[in-house]
Amino acid sequence: MKQSILRISILLLCLIFAPACKNNKEQSMSTAPPVAPKHPTKLEKHGDVRIDDYYWMNNREDQQVLDYLNTENDYFQKMTAHTKAFQEELFEEMKGRIKEDDSSVPYKLDGYWYITRYEEGKEYPIYSRKKETLEATEELLFDCNVMAEGHDYFNLRGVSISPDNTMASFGTDTISRRQYNIQIKNLKTGEIYPDVIENTTGSAVWANDNKTLFYTKKDPVTLRSDKIYKHVLGTSADQDELVFHEEDDTYNTFVYKTKTRKYIVIGSSSTLTSEYRFLNADDPEGDFKIFSEREKGVEYSISHFEGNFYILTNKDGATNFKLMKTNENNTASEHWEEFIPHQEDVLLEDVEIFRDYYVVTERNNGLNQMKIAKWDGSLSYYLPFDSETYVAGPSVNLDFDTKILRYYYNEMGEPYAIIDFDMETKTKTVQKQQEVLGGKFDKNNYKTERIWATARDGKKVPVSIIYHKNTPLDGTSPLLQYGYGSYGATMDPYFSSIRLSLLDRGFIYAIAHIRGGEYLGRPWYEDGKLFNKKNTFTDFIDVSNHLIEKKYTSSEHLYAMGGSAGGLLMGAIINMEPELYHGVIAAVPFVDVVTTMLDDTIPLTTGEYDEWGNPNDKAYYDYIKSYSPYDNVEAKEYPHMYVSTGLHDSQVQYWEPAKWVAKLREYKTGENLLFLDTNMDAGHGGASGRFEALKETAKEYAFILDLEGKAH
């Protein structure tokens, strides 16, 4: 209430003393931007010499680095001081649409209903369960609000319940480097055992003896998941046995249990290749058996059912994947038999296995499909979906012996729903639909479209669009265009209550489904990686031009946004077509591509070679250098820019955006804004609290709304 009164008071003062408020803004506009010291470092490869004036920033312990980051933060705060009240307004508005005392749809496992819930005024989830019925007394598993006390960042993941329901393993990260400590809680007594297993992925798998755990360790320098260990309850972590070491530094390893609970599986994967090992969960002292040896370029994943394994794979040139099967005693690839054939125009994404049914998730022309079939072949049908901007897929389906498929569904203009579908009677029950509070949301106020833009090479690029029905489509409306375009990750046209703060202020929101993602199948990904990477950037630009041509917006009102590899996209497009965009938001951007990909001590580098290419090869070096945002900064007028990062980011190191901004400041012409905003406590995912992350979104939205004169 006090904050609301304060905001109203500020708004009234600005109305009464408008010239004074304007002068305050003009005064902030005159603040001189930071100038980073230059310490030239010579970098040479393949006879090519690069001089990096800001290489020195890659030491987070260096006080000069911290001073520079803090100076940039101070500059950002001063320059945006006139939007502080508006940022708070946006935050409260976005938070106000979210149900604070919310809870998940309960799911049942081994006789218990598991629930995740939030309490009003609290940032973190509470995990609980109830035995047999939802009317039973609640058993508290973890209250993350209590566990987070005293930490600027907190994340709990990987909760794993022992087969006899008496123990739970869990991982916690209080730094935001994605290095989790695993501990074990006795669910009978509530005691958390003192033994701590450090530097893990956070997840663990129980053997069927209820005392043996398998977990994944990370390399302490590169943070690559490279070792699987076995821990026995009651022993010290120092005594844990190494059961598998993935020595190839382009691979990561992981461990899980099949849905049938019969096998514990160790997986190894690179961008292009997979390999698995398996062990009977009743025999934790046994040796893991290789499933099928890795073959370069062959990807596969495995599911178990009644004496057989089902293999989702691209083997034999099945670009969009096919499903094969093999007896559990003969698992090498020469024994695999085709179960569902490859389709040229349909991507086979996943398979969900039940006792009587299996469910295949597909993507056809960019749209999700779910095909339900009986094992005996007597029944096969698709779930019906009608919209062209929807997102659908399997939800939590841990119960093997059930006829109920739980799936999620939402559209760009319709909130997220969890639906239980009876595969036998073909009836569905909506268990929960996201509530949008505040009393203002009406899905009929928004229009959604899917259009197709023609890329310069003739390919048709799909674009998902949403806007308020009163927003004019005459070229005068502001538009935020979002893109990612890497790793085959598909940016689906999902609903966002947060996004309403833009739509209700006249913004159009567009997702460009560019090459490098898998929206149009695996070939769409292959055509946007390695030596085809520039298709990702030109697709995004061609979509922008199409949106302008079709009068959705104009260059004066067009904004672009992307994060991580999408931040690389942002860096590339502003080097190629800076005049096309009025403003750009680059979140935790991967922009120093050449230097990072040449440094195999940096987390994740070696595993990225299949995505970007290995610059130790001159051909890849030259190609990557030709688009690397940092290496291609020039003297030109760049658009207004807001760049964010986290000091502890393990995915994209903070120094990439820091160096990039420093170099942009040195070279850019004109008076357009350039901000670097570093969260000194967080990593790649930003703030950890449920609502704290909204403050970061509020800053991003305030930045572009202010440029549109709508920050009020």
Side-chain angles (χ1 to χ4, degrees), residues 674-694:
L674 173 59
F675 298 140
L676 174 66
D677 182 19
T678 303
N679 188 324
M680 305 300 280
D681 298 316
H684 199 64
S688 62
R690 186 186 184 199
F691 299 115
E692 280 300 306
L694 295 180

Side-chain angles (χ1 to χ4, degrees), residues 285-334:
E285 296 303 314
D287 296 324
F288 280 85
K289 176 186 175 183
I290 195 162
F291 188 89
S292 187
E293 291 188 359
R294 64 189 69 178
E295 300 174 51
K296 185 69 173 177
V298 175
E299 299 172 61
Y300 70 93
S301 59
I302 59 177
S303 302
H304 178 254
F305 174 68
E306 283 194 351
N308 292 306
F309 279 102
Y310 290 81
I311 307 108
L312 186 65
T313 180
N314 66 346
K315 182 176 163 53
D316 305 320
T319 307
N320 272 329
F321 289 75
K322 60 183 175 180
L323 192 64
M324 306 185 79
K325 68 178 287 189
T326 191
N327 185 277
E328 62 188 353
N329 298 315
N330 295 291
T331 59
S333 61
E334 58 263 27

Side-chain angles (χ1 to χ4, degrees), residues 97-99 102 415-416 432-437 495 497:
R97 296 192 194 99
I98 299 171
K99 187 178 181 183
D102 204 1
Y416 188 95
K432 181 184 178 68
Q433 184 159 32
Q434 176 186 354
E435 293 182 59
V436 182
L437 303 184
F495 176 81
S497 68

Side-chain angles (χ1 to χ4, degrees), residues 259 354-357 397-405 423:
K259 192 171 178 178
F354 300 91
R355 184 174 299 282
D356 297 323
Y357 298 85
N397 291 284
L398 299 180
D399 192 354
F400 175 67
D401 190 11
T402 180
K403 294 179 174 59
I404 302 298
L405 166 70
M423 294 181 281

Side-chain angles (χ1 to χ4, degrees), residues 41-50 598 621:
T41 299
K42 181 180 178 181
L43 304 173
E44 185 172 359
K45 190 72 176 180
H46 305 301
D48 179 57
V49 175
R50 294 179 299 136
L598 282 170
Y621 175 91

Side-chain angles (χ1 to χ4, degrees), residues 201 216-220 222-229 242 244-248 251-254:
T201 61
T216 311
K217 273 256 191 184
K218 291 189 170 188
D219 182 285
T222 67
L223 303 189
R224 182 172 70 92
S225 305
D226 64 344
K227 295 182 179 74
I228 305 296
Y229 280 87
L242 175 66
F244 176 68
H245 180 199
E246 178 50 73
E247 296 182 352
D248 189 326
Y251 284 72
N252 286 284
T253 188
F254 50 93

Side-chain angles (χ1 to χ4, degrees), residues 425-643:
T425 64
K426 298 184 182 179
T427 56
K428 69 178 185 179
T429 304
V430 178
Q431 293 289 359
K432 181 184 178 68
Q433 184 159 32
Q434 176 186 354
E435 293 182 59
V436 182
L437 303 184
K440 297 180 180 179
F441 174 73
D442 180 351
K443 68 179 183 180
N444 297 312
N445 286 335
Y446 304 92
K447 293 186 176 181
T448 60
E449 303 176 19
R450 186 172 68 157
I451 64 172
W452 299 78
T454 303
R456 59 196 65 187
D457 64 356
K459 295 288 179 71
K460 299 293 186 181
V461 182
V463 189
S464 297
I465 300 174
I466 183 169
Y467 53 90
H468 195 281
K469 65 181 182 181
N470 295 332
T471 299
L473 303 181
D474 58 3
T476 64
S477 295
L479 185 149
L480 179 59
Q481 180 181 330
Y482 177 82
Y484 187 75
S486 292
Y487 305 106
T490 299
M491 297 296 108
D492 280 313
Y494 62 93
F495 176 81
S496 168
S497 68
I498 295 168
R499 191 189 298 142
L500 298 174
S501 291
L502 286 181
L503 303 182
D504 291 348
R505 289 175 172 83
F507 259 83
I508 301 168
Y509 186 88
I511 302 173
H513 303 292
I514 50 184
R515 277 174 279 188
E518 270 185 354
Y519 187 82
L520 293 181
R522 190 55 177 259
W524 200 243
Y525 168 43
E526 299 290 346
D527 208 16
K529 63 186 286 195
L530 299 174
F531 287 121
N532 296 321
K533 189 65 219 172
K534 289 184 183 178
N535 286 336
T536 301
F537 316 138
T538 55
D539 278 1
F540 193 90
I541 291 169
D542 293 340
V543 166
S544 298
N545 282 316
H546 183 80
L547 292 168
I548 292 171
E549 178 188 341
K550 295 300 180 182
K551 300 293 185 183
Y552 285 93
T553 190
S554 62
S555 288
E556 293 77 21
H557 301 288
L558 177 59
Y559 300 87
M561 180 177 181
S564 195
L568 162 62
L569 170 64
M570 297 297 102
I573 63 167
I574 63 169
N575 282 333
M576 297 167 72
E577 299 282 352
E579 73 287 347
L580 193 55
Y581 305 94
H582 188 55
V584 168
I585 297 171
V588 292
F590 174 39
V591 286
D592 191 13
V593 189
V594 177
T595 306
T596 291
M597 294 306 297
L598 282 170
D599 187 350
D600 60 13
T601 68
I602 293 176
L604 309 179
T605 291
T606 53
E608 305 280 285
Y609 291 155
D610 289 335
E611 179 72 22
W612 313 101
N614 184 346
N616 291 296
D617 178 327
K618 187 176 187 305
Y620 279 119
Y621 175 91
D622 291 340
Y623 187 73
I624 293 171
K625 185 184 175 185
S626 73
Y627 67 73
S628 174
Y630 184 68
D631 292 286
N632 288 280
V633 171
E634 297 175 329
K636 60 179 69 171
E637 187 169 351
Y638 286 95
H640 298 284
M641 295 180 63
Y642 172 79
V643 182

